[in-house]
Amino acid sequence: MTTDPRTLIDDPNLSREYKEQLLQAWAASREEDEASWQPYFDEYGLDKRDRTPSADQRYAALLEHGSDAQTANASRNALGEHLRPNCLNVPDDMLDLGAQGLEFFELFLPAAKKLGYESRELTGYYAMFDAERGMRLNVLARDVDTLGRSLDTARTELDENERCVAAVRTGWSGVAAAAAIDAVDRQNIQADATIGRLHGLAEVLFEANLTLSAAVTNKAYKVVSLHQPTVAGYSAEQIDVLAQIYADGKDGDNSAAKDCMEDASYWFPELADDDYRHVNGLYKDGGAGALRRLDRDDVVRRAAGITKDWLDGNFPHVYEEKQQEFTAACADCAEAVHAAYDAVIAEARSIEVQPGFRPEDTPDPAPAPRGPEVPHADTVPCAGARACTCSADGARRGPSNGRTGVRPASIRWWGRGHQSDGGGATDNRTSDGGGATDNRTSGGRGATGNRTAGGRRASDD
């Protein structure tokens, strides 16, 4: 946190309203520094206010809020760099940068609750913001690359197989030869079609990864942009004081409201009258003496009405606008994430794997293991299954360097329009359980198979 107010006053990214509050607090708390703050008062056309009883605390709080605002601006700039097209980011790092925007609710939610503008708890904002935390897109990128390289190998072996068939065709004839060659040709056609479909799946996975990255980064950018240390020129602490005057003072004589009125009378012009400043006791500086209890009751009610009018005209529309922007940012991100997963799942389920050649009397492979049955599974909301992402082992997450997502060479190469209704030889290529292809056919461990074998994602493993 900076301790020099001049670095905050000279920052062009901070609002004039905040700077005026900081100047007043600086002058009230550090009267001996007049040579430093008076030129700013002249520049801003301000008159120095009386020193408040809580001047030192308010000055320290405004310094902290200004430092936080500078941090939020730096985070917003960093997130802007990560919004470049085809930039594959680490979601947790993006959310860490964006979390500074939640400070608006940390600061102003207490006053909003007092005034009845807010029903949500602060933990609810945290949960909505962190919904995508834990996604490991670098793992999905590695799986997509593995799938692409596996398909390159499959294409190479299929080409070699076709060359061998051509050689057999030239040296073997007869009924048996024709039947064998025809069977091999049909199998190769199926394999070619399956390789084409899996290339399509790899393409969808690659694009989905970039979509997930962009969705979280956009959300973090929008949320950090919500950061705001003041409303209508007043800090959160001051707004809370005004809210308490209204909430506690609307019923008349109340000690808590009177204490707040005395505080506010030093910085809130509408309550600068001596009646509000000295409502707790005797007038100072030659005042007319103690207020009667009936007079105090009337003064408190008037103060409550004044603060209510000001708050109604300045606070709720700002707070509710921030609420709406936050909710929209989270909803847009969730929608993009769900759409990306839905596209991957639909593409994966459209691929039908046909059995390959096996010696006579060889049994079919054992079916893929199934997860336990879940009662009433059709009534369970799918948001959990849609939540990102690829793995949960935080120790393996790469740094957030904002590197560009690299399309595997096999996907860049595959552009010949191969289409198929399914079929092919994928199952026998990923029997080690480590690749993305095996997940589609045998319930393995990769990025998408977990979605089809029990509704879990790899990050839940």
Side-chain angles (χ1 to χ4, degrees):
M1 183 186 82
T2 182
T3 58
D4 185 354
R6 289 170 293 191
T7 63
L8 300 172
I9 296 170
D10 294 336
D11 188 334
N13 295 312
L14 299 180
S15 70
R16 182 183 177 92
E17 294 175 342
Y18 165 76
K19 293 175 183 179
E20 290 181 357
Q21 286 291 322
L22 178 60
L23 277 171
Q24 292 287 0
W26 182 16
S29 179
R30 301 291 187 269
E31 294 177 332
E32 67 277 10
D33 291 343
E34 182 174 359
S36 297
W37 50 254
Q38 186 60 52
Y40 287 107
F41 269 76
D42 296 339
E43 178 185 346
Y44 281 77
L46 299 177
D47 294 323
K48 182 179 178 296
R49 298 173 185 164
D50 294 338
R51 175 181 172 86
T52 74
S54 57
D56 293 339
Q57 297 94 315
R58 181 159 289 121
Y59 177 55
L62 285 167
L63 287 175
E64 182 179 359
H65 296 334
S67 298
D68 290 343
Q70 288 183 321
T71 301
N73 287 331
S75 296
R76 182 167 57 250
N77 292 336
L79 284 163
E81 290 296 315
H82 287 285
L83 287 173
R84 296 190 305 269
N86 298 328
C87 195
L88 186 62
N89 304 314
V90 177
D92 281 15
D93 291 349
M94 300 300 99
L95 292 173
D96 288 344
L97 288 171
Q100 194 74 35
L102 291 170
E103 186 173 286
F104 175 84
F105 299 105
E106 294 171 354
L107 291 173
F108 292 100
L109 182 141
K113 274 190 167 294
K114 284 187 178 75
L115 299 169
Y117 304 149
E118 178 64 271
S119 59
R120 185 183 300 161
E121 297 295 333
L122 191 57
T123 52
Y125 285 97
Y126 294 152
M128 290 176 66
F129 181 72
D130 283 337
E132 292 77 30
R133 191 174 289 278
M135 293 200 318
R136 300 188 61 224
L137 303 186
N138 58 319
V139 177
L140 179 55
R142 187 176 65 213
D143 288 344
V144 173
D145 184 66
T146 300
L147 174 58
R149 287 185 281 106
S150 298
L151 292 172
D152 283 346
T153 302
R155 170 57 57 189
T156 299
E157 293 183 1
L158 181 58
D159 290 344
E160 177 63 24
N161 186 284
E162 289 175 344
R163 285 192 291 272
C164 291
V165 172
V168 170
R169 185 177 283 110
T170 61
W172 187 23
S173 60
V175 176
I181 293 171
D182 178 68
V184 172
D185 285 341
R186 284 186 283 106
Q187 183 65 23
N188 285 348
I189 290 172
Q190 287 183 353
D192 180 80
T194 298
I195 291 173
R197 293 303 303 273
L198 290 173
H199 267 289
L201 174 60
E203 183 74 34
V204 172
L205 283 166
F206 179 85
E207 296 298 335
N209 213 19
L210 294 179
T211 297
L212 295 171
S213 172
V216 176
T217 306
N218 268 296
K219 170 184 175 176
Y221 183 85
K222 292 175 182 177
V223 171
V224 78
S225 300
L226 299 178
H227 190 278
Q228 181 175 325
T230 61
V231 171
Y234 293 102
S235 68
E237 291 82 359
Q238 291 171 312
I239 297 289
D240 198 55
V241 167
L242 298 178
Q244 190 164 353
I245 292 173
Y246 166 64
D248 292 340
K250 59 187 176 181
D251 296 326
D253 189 19
N254 181 288
S255 59
K258 289 184 291 185
D259 291 340
C260 292
M261 286 164 55
E262 182 176 357
D263 181 11
S265 70
Y266 289 91
W267 45 263
F268 190 67
E270 288 84 345
L271 297 181
D273 187 270
D274 279 346
D275 280 357
Y276 303 112
R277 181 167 301 182
H278 304 301
V279 69
N280 271 323
L282 295 175
Y283 281 103
K284 298 177 183 177
D285 303 325
L291 283 171
R292 291 178 297 128
R293 182 177 181 85
L294 181 61
D295 294 334
R296 284 203 306 269
D297 188 79
D298 180 65
V299 168
V300 172
R301 289 181 185 276
R302 279 192 282 121
I306 290 171
T307 56
K308 180 182 186 301
D309 290 343
W310 186 91
L311 289 165
D312 287 347
N314 294 276
F315 183 58
H317 72 275
V318 174
Y319 189 87
E320 290 168 359
E321 183 178 306
K322 299 286 187 182
Q323 278 182 316
Q324 293 166 6
E325 291 177 3
F326 175 83
T327 301
C330 294
D332 290 346
C333 180
E335 182 178 355
V337 168
H338 295 170
Y341 272 111
D342 289 344
V344 170
I345 292 170
E347 183 69 18
R349 287 176 174 169
S350 71
I351 300 173
E352 297 180 6
V353 179
Q354 304 294 331
F357 282 124
R358 290 188 298 278
E360 190 175 355
D361 298 329
T362 300
D364 290 338
R370 298 181 59 187
E373 295 293 333
V374 179
H376 311 298
D378 56 335
T379 65
V380 178
C382 60
R386 288 173 166 172
C388 298
T389 171
C390 318
S391 179
D393 180 9
R396 296 172 59 194
R397 190 181 73 236
S400 176
N401 55 13
R403 67 181 181 87
T404 301
V406 179
R407 191 182 303 269
S410 61
I411 301 178
R412 294 196 300 271
W413 165 80
W414 187 262
R416 304 197 320 223
H418 289 66
Q419 300 294 328
S420 169
D421 58 355
T426 303
D427 187 63
N428 58 0
R429 295 203 174 278
T430 57
S431 58
D432 59 351
T437 306
D438 179 58
N439 297 336
R440 311 289 171 215
T441 62
S442 62
R445 291 172 44 246
T448 311
N450 294 332
R451 305 272 309 187
T452 62
R456 299 176 62 246
R457 51 197 166 105
S459 60
D460 297 326
D461 290 342

Short mmCIF file of all heavy atoms in Angstrom, two decimals, residues 139-149 202-203 205-206 209 408 410-411 436:
data_model
loop_
_atom_site.label_atom_id
_atom_site.label_comp_id
_atom_site.label_asym_id
_atom_site.label_seq_id
_atom_site.Cartn_x
_atom_site.Cartn_y
_atom_site.Cartn_z
N VAL A 139 -3.82 -29.14 -19.72
CA VAL A 139 -3.91 -30.60 -19.80
C VAL A 139 -4.75 -31.01 -20.99
O VAL A 139 -4.41 -31.94 -21.73
CB VAL A 139 -4.50 -31.17 -18.49
CG1 VAL A 139 -4.68 -32.68 -18.60
CG2 VAL A 139 -3.60 -30.82 -17.31
N LEU A 140 -5.88 -30.32 -21.21
CA LEU A 140 -6.70 -30.61 -22.38
C LEU A 140 -5.92 -30.34 -23.66
O LEU A 140 -6.01 -31.12 -24.62
CB LEU A 140 -7.98 -29.78 -22.35
CG LEU A 140 -8.95 -29.96 -23.52
CD1 LEU A 140 -9.32 -31.42 -23.70
CD2 LEU A 140 -10.19 -29.11 -23.30
N ALA A 141 -5.13 -29.27 -23.69
CA ALA A 141 -4.32 -28.98 -24.87
C ALA A 141 -3.32 -30.11 -25.13
O ALA A 141 -3.10 -30.51 -26.29
CB ALA A 141 -3.59 -27.65 -24.68
N ARG A 142 -2.75 -30.64 -24.06
CA ARG A 142 -1.82 -31.75 -24.23
C ARG A 142 -2.53 -33.00 -24.75
O ARG A 142 -2.00 -33.73 -25.61
CB ARG A 142 -1.14 -32.05 -22.89
CG ARG A 142 -0.01 -33.07 -22.98
CD ARG A 142 0.65 -33.21 -21.63
NE ARG A 142 -0.28 -33.76 -20.64
CZ ARG A 142 -0.24 -33.43 -19.36
NH1 ARG A 142 0.64 -32.56 -18.91
NH2 ARG A 142 -1.10 -33.98 -18.51
N ASP A 143 -3.74 -33.24 -24.26
CA ASP A 143 -4.50 -34.39 -24.74
C ASP A 143 -4.88 -34.24 -26.21
O ASP A 143 -4.86 -35.20 -26.99
CB ASP A 143 -5.77 -34.56 -23.90
CG ASP A 143 -5.47 -35.08 -22.50
OD1 ASP A 143 -4.35 -35.59 -22.30
OD2 ASP A 143 -6.34 -34.98 -21.63
N VAL A 144 -5.25 -33.01 -26.60
CA VAL A 144 -5.59 -32.78 -28.01
C VAL A 144 -4.36 -33.01 -28.88
O VAL A 144 -4.45 -33.60 -29.97
CB VAL A 144 -6.14 -31.35 -28.20
CG1 VAL A 144 -6.33 -31.03 -29.68
CG2 VAL A 144 -7.46 -31.19 -27.47
N ASP A 145 -3.21 -32.56 -28.41
CA ASP A 145 -1.99 -32.78 -29.17
C ASP A 145 -1.68 -34.27 -29.28
O ASP A 145 -1.26 -34.76 -30.34
CB ASP A 145 -0.83 -32.04 -28.50
CG ASP A 145 0.46 -32.15 -29.30
OD1 ASP A 145 0.52 -31.61 -30.41
OD2 ASP A 145 1.41 -32.79 -28.79
N THR A 146 -1.88 -35.00 -28.17
CA THR A 146 -1.66 -36.45 -28.21
C THR A 146 -2.60 -37.12 -29.20
O THR A 146 -2.19 -38.01 -29.97
CB THR A 146 -1.87 -37.05 -26.80
OG1 THR A 146 -0.94 -36.47 -25.89
CG2 THR A 146 -1.69 -38.56 -26.82
N LEU A 147 -3.85 -36.70 -29.20
CA LEU A 147 -4.81 -37.25 -30.15
C LEU A 147 -4.38 -36.95 -31.58
O LEU A 147 -4.43 -37.82 -32.46
CB LEU A 147 -6.20 -36.66 -29.88
CG LEU A 147 -7.31 -37.03 -30.87
CD1 LEU A 147 -7.49 -38.54 -30.96
CD2 LEU A 147 -8.61 -36.35 -30.47
N GLY A 148 -3.93 -35.71 -31.84
CA GLY A 148 -3.49 -35.36 -33.19
C GLY A 148 -2.32 -36.20 -33.66
O GLY A 148 -2.29 -36.68 -34.80
N ARG A 149 -1.33 -36.40 -32.76
CA ARG A 149 -0.18 -37.21 -33.14
C ARG A 149 -0.56 -38.68 -33.33
O ARG A 149 -0.02 -39.37 -34.20
CB ARG A 149 0.92 -37.07 -32.08
CG ARG A 149 1.61 -35.71 -32.15
CD ARG A 149 2.79 -35.57 -31.21
NE ARG A 149 2.36 -35.30 -29.85
CZ ARG A 149 2.39 -36.18 -28.87
NH1 ARG A 149 2.81 -37.41 -29.09
NH2 ARG A 149 1.99 -35.86 -27.64
N ALA A 202 -10.93 -33.78 -32.76
CA ALA A 202 -9.76 -33.04 -32.30
C ALA A 202 -9.90 -31.55 -32.61
O ALA A 202 -9.52 -30.69 -31.80
CB ALA A 202 -8.49 -33.60 -32.94
N GLU A 203 -10.47 -31.24 -33.77
CA GLU A 203 -10.70 -29.84 -34.13
C GLU A 203 -11.68 -29.19 -33.15
O GLU A 203 -11.47 -28.04 -32.69
CB GLU A 203 -11.24 -29.77 -35.55
CG GLU A 203 -11.45 -28.36 -36.08
CD GLU A 203 -10.14 -27.67 -36.43
OE1 GLU A 203 -9.21 -28.36 -36.88
OE2 GLU A 203 -10.07 -26.46 -36.22
N LEU A 205 -12.32 -30.13 -30.06
CA LEU A 205 -11.65 -30.02 -28.78
C LEU A 205 -10.70 -28.82 -28.75
O LEU A 205 -10.64 -28.07 -27.76
CB LEU A 205 -10.87 -31.30 -28.48
CG LEU A 205 -11.69 -32.50 -28.00
CD1 LEU A 205 -10.84 -33.77 -28.07
CD2 LEU A 205 -12.16 -32.28 -26.57
N PHE A 206 -9.97 -28.63 -29.83
CA PHE A 206 -9.04 -27.51 -29.91
C PHE A 206 -9.78 -26.18 -29.79
O PHE A 206 -9.40 -25.30 -29.02
CB PHE A 206 -8.27 -27.58 -31.23
CG PHE A 206 -7.30 -26.45 -31.43
CD1 PHE A 206 -6.03 -26.52 -30.90
CD2 PHE A 206 -7.67 -25.32 -32.14
CE1 PHE A 206 -5.13 -25.47 -31.07
CE2 PHE A 206 -6.78 -24.27 -32.32
CZ PHE A 206 -5.51 -24.35 -31.79
N ASN A 209 -11.21 -25.58 -26.27
CA ASN A 209 -10.20 -25.15 -25.30
C ASN A 209 -10.00 -23.64 -25.36
O ASN A 209 -9.94 -22.95 -24.34
CB ASN A 209 -8.89 -25.87 -25.59
CG ASN A 209 -8.09 -26.15 -24.33
OD1 ASN A 209 -8.63 -26.14 -23.23
ND2 ASN A 209 -6.80 -26.41 -24.49
N PRO A 408 -2.44 -28.67 -33.24
CA PRO A 408 -1.55 -29.77 -33.60
C PRO A 408 -1.37 -29.85 -35.11
O PRO A 408 -2.28 -29.56 -35.88
CB PRO A 408 -2.27 -31.01 -33.06
CG PRO A 408 -3.12 -30.49 -31.96
CD PRO A 408 -3.54 -29.12 -32.40
N SER A 410 -1.23 -32.27 -37.13
CA SER A 410 -2.13 -33.16 -37.84
C SER A 410 -3.48 -32.51 -38.10
O SER A 410 -4.13 -32.76 -39.10
CB SER A 410 -2.33 -34.45 -37.04
OG SER A 410 -2.90 -34.15 -35.79
N ILE A 411 -3.92 -31.63 -37.18
CA ILE A 411 -5.20 -30.95 -37.38
C ILE A 411 -5.06 -29.89 -38.45
O ILE A 411 -5.94 -29.69 -39.28
CB ILE A 411 -5.69 -30.34 -36.06
CG1 ILE A 411 -5.84 -31.44 -35.01
CG2 ILE A 411 -7.00 -29.62 -36.25
CD1 ILE A 411 -6.27 -30.92 -33.66
N ALA A 436 -6.71 -39.10 -25.37
CA ALA A 436 -8.08 -38.61 -25.45
C ALA A 436 -8.97 -39.53 -26.24
O ALA A 436 -10.17 -39.54 -26.04
CB ALA A 436 -8.09 -37.21 -26.08
#
